[in-house]
C-alpha cells in the first residue's frame, strides 16, 4: 500500500508535549479532573492555554503602554522644542 499525504491538513494542528509532575500532584490532578468530569490531560491543556493567553494579553498591554508613553514623551519634547526662544 502506498503512502498518500493528507491533502487538506487540519487548520488547527496540535502536537504532543510531555510534562513530568510529582506523583502526588498527579493524584491531585486526577481528582480535580474527575470532579469536573474531564480527563487530566484535558484539564492541563485548558490551564496551559489559559495561562499562555493571559501572558499574551499582558505582553500586548505592556507594548501598548510603552507605545503610548513613547508618543506622549515625543509630543512633550516637541512642545519644548517649539517653545524655545527663537524657535
Amino acid at each position: 500500500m502506498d503512502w498518500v499525504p493528507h491533502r487538506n491538513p487540519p487548520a488547527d494542528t496540535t502536537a504532543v508535549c510531555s510534562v513530568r509532575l510529582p506523583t502526588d500532584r498527579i493524584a491531585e490532578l486526577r481528582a480535580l479532573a474527575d470532579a469536573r468530569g474531564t480527563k487530566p490531560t484535558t484539564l492541563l491543556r485548558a490551564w496551559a492555554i489559559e495561562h499562555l493567553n493571559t501572558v499574551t494579553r499582558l505582553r500586548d498591554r505592556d507594548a501598548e503602554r510603552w507605545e503610548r508613553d513613547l508618543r506622549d514623551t515625543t509630543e512633550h519634547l516637541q512642545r519644548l522644542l517649539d517653545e524655545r526662544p527663537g524657535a
Side-chain angles (χ1 to χ4, degrees), residues 1-14:
M1 182 171 174
D2 291 335
W3 178 77
V4 178
H6 194 297
R7 294 178 196 268
N8 297 315
D12 203 16
T13 59
T14 61

Side-chain angles (χ1 to χ4, degrees), residues 6-61:
H6 194 297
R7 294 178 196 268
N8 297 315
D12 203 16
T13 59
T14 61
V16 174
C17 176
S18 297
V19 178
R20 293 187 183 274
L21 297 173
T23 307
D24 59 330
R25 302 313 300 252
I26 291 174
E28 289 180 64
L29 175 63
R30 285 187 178 131
L32 282 171
D34 285 346
R36 295 176 186 201
T38 191
K39 297 177 184 177
T41 54
T42 303
L43 189 55
L44 278 175
R45 182 173 44 252
W47 285 344
I49 291 170
E50 179 181 339
H51 182 73
L52 290 169
N53 288 342
T54 299
V55 168
T56 300
R57 279 192 305 274
L58 291 174
R59 188 173 46 236
D60 290 348
R61 192 172 65 203

